[in-house]
Amino acid sequence: MDRQPEVTRVVVGLDGSPSSQAALRWAVRYAGLVNGRVEAVSAWDVPGAASWSAPAVDTEFDEEEAERSLVEEVRTVLGPDGASRVHQRLVRGNPADVLVDAAEGADLLVVGSRGRGGFRRALLGSVSQQVALHAPCPVTIIRPDSAAG
């Protein structure tokens, strides 16, 4: 048989936090070792869209600006050469749900241990905890200080 080897697909969640930036660096290094490709996924949601707690309107949100910010964040973290090897996607929805969906068919999902929100004392953020419980593939959770080196 003349089959092409399948490329390892690594999905990484990115939210602008130091933890998610460490996860991006780790995912790129890992993908380099296994000849894989990296997909950086960032989620946005309208406050109150999933509940009655607030009107489902965010007059401050600009999706095009958010896409530019995602591209710029990847470029800042990895440099222009590294960024050119990462596919970026901005997806509307709850971050944990978006990442679990994006990980469908992936070989690995990489997230930071704690994002921009939450309690400082928490060992895991709510998103990393949810994806660890519900992802359809193995999950690696990166602490900012564990990604150095």
Side-chain angles (χ1 to χ4, degrees), residues 93-136:
N94 171 280
D97 294 340
V98 165
L99 290 172
V100 167
D101 289 346
E104 192 66 45
D107 297 283
L108 182 65
L109 173 59
V110 183
V111 294
S113 60
R114 214 174 42 233
R116 292 187 295 177
F119 300 100
R120 301 284 295 159
R121 295 178 305 192
L123 293 176
L124 289 179
S126 60
V127 172
S128 57
Q129 189 172 32
Q130 288 301 306
V131 299
L133 292 171
H134 301 289

Side-chain angles (χ1 to χ4, degrees), residues 3-8 35:
R3 293 180 60 188
Q4 294 284 332
E6 289 196 26
V7 175
T8 300
N35 197 27

Side-chain angles (χ1 to χ4, degrees), residues 14-15 46 64-65 69 75 95-96 115 127 133 137:
L14 201 55
D15 69 359
V46 177
E64 289 179 9
E65 178 58 32
S69 294
R75 182 181 302 272
V127 172
L133 292 171
C137 65

